[in-house]
Amino acid sequence: EAQVTQNPRYLITVTGKKLTVTCSQNMNHEYMSWYRQDPGLGLRQIYYSMNVEVTDKGDVPEGYKVSRKEKRNFPLILESPSPNQTSLYFCASSLTTDTEAFFGQGTRLTVV
Amino acid sequence: AQKITQTQPGMFVQEKEAVTLDCTYDTSDQSYGLFWYKQPSSGEMIFLIYQGSYDEQNATEGRYSLNFQKARKSANLVISASQLGDSAMYFCAMREGLGGSYIPTFGRGTSLIVHP
């Protein structure tokens, strides 16, 4: 089954404790991206990647890191999480820029 | 300035009626793509429909159609014959060409409630 898998689905952590949210797709897609969703703000781009070792900042990259060492994986790293990073995070992948993006199930992160 | 504007935070419609969700966009690119996604209360993002800037005909997918008015920079979603299962958040998104990132930028969404 074609899918984007994010883990974990839910995470509560403390300020400053490094964490990684994993994202994996099994569709051999070139494009992968991370969004955060906050009430009233829609989805905002954090980082995206068009291929292995190629990443770009989105609209809200501060406090996040990504890597794309393999085509299928695109982890999101929070080196020192802060409460303002409490949000719902989505990973997405697409074959081209003009085809539908497949989204993961979302990761609800709470930083206390 | 927002690239995607959805002016209706919430909409109500009677079951079996049609509803239009508004979306306007702002870009100076000639080549761009427009998307609509649905997010039910369960949280997943579901792709509905896509329109390319060079497509002359409005996109349609089953009960969904995209009313594309290029000169007005408008890409409204029309849902015909609404069903209770259509109750959800709806997001309009735009992928720009060379002028922006190559992944979609989303609007703030419209919450649609379908009444029986």
Side-chain angles (χ1 to χ4, degrees):
Chain A
E1 180 191 353
Q3 59 185 5
V4 177
T5 303
Q6 287 179 234
N7 279 297
R9 292 289 310 277
Y10 303 91
L11 179 60
I12 301 175
T13 190
V14 296
T15 298
K17 185 177 181 182
K18 180 179 178 180
L19 67 92
T20 299
V21 184
T22 63
C23 174
S24 181
Q25 51 96 1
N26 63 359
M27 295 166 280
N28 202 37
H29 284 171
E30 304 282 341
Y31 297 89
M32 297 188 74
S33 52
W34 278 102
Y35 293 88
R36 61 177 289 174
Q37 183 178 14
D38 301 289
L41 296 180
L43 282 80
R44 293 180 290 169
Q45 301 170 3
I46 303 173
Y47 270 96
Y48 50 94
S49 168
M50 66 179 294
N51 213 328
V52 175
E53 302 292 2
V54 181
T55 62
D56 278 305
K57 294 179 181 179
D59 296 322
V60 289
E62 294 78 19
Y64 304 95
K65 283 175 55 177
V66 293
S67 68
R68 186 99 182 266
K69 293 185 170 56
E70 307 165 279
K71 198 171 187 179
R72 62 183 294 124
N73 295 324
F74 192 44
L76 180 70
I77 303 156
L78 285 72
E79 294 271 4
S80 182
S82 63
N84 65 12
Q85 292 178 298
T86 292
S87 188
L88 176 61
Y89 291 87
F90 284 101
C91 177
S93 75
S94 61
L95 183 62
T96 73
T97 57
D98 291 320
T99 52
E100 67 174 286
F102 289 79
F103 282 80
Q105 317 95 304
T107 295
R108 188 163 292 281
L109 172 66
T110 302
V111 184
V112 298
Chain B
Q2 287 186 52
K3 292 187 177 181
I4 293 285
T5 302
Q6 295 181 252
T7 56
Q8 308 152 314
M11 288 283 286
F12 296 88
V13 66
Q14 202 76 25
E15 193 179 9
K16 298 179 185 170
E17 291 186 348
V19 63
T20 298
L21 306 184
D22 294 342
C23 173
T24 57
Y25 58 91
D26 182 24
T27 183
S28 55
D29 288 339
Q30 296 301 308
S31 174
Y32 52 90
L34 297 155
F35 302 79
W36 277 92
Y37 286 85
K38 171 185 178 182
Q39 185 179 41
S41 58
S42 52
E44 72 266 32
M45 295 291 290
I46 301 167
F47 167 78
L48 295 177
I49 199 165
Y50 168 79
Q51 177 90 38
S53 59
Y54 292 119
D55 296 338
E56 294 187 353
Q57 292 200 330
N58 288 342
T60 60
E61 290 286 348
R63 294 186 298 111
Y64 304 106
S65 60
L66 198 153
N67 184 1
F68 181 45
Q69 298 188 38
K70 197 169 183 176
R72 297 179 60 187
K73 292 188 175 179
S74 166
N76 298 340
L77 178 71
V78 180
I79 305 175
S80 63
S82 299
Q83 302 173 354
L84 296 179
D86 293 334
S87 294
M89 281 291 290
Y90 288 81
F91 292 98
C92 180
M94 175 179 64
R95 185 277 306 159
E96 292 183 277
L98 295 176
S101 70
Y102 38 79
I103 62 165
T105 297
F106 283 76
R108 298 189 176 193
T110 294
S111 175
L112 175 67
I113 296 175
V114 180
H115 287 300

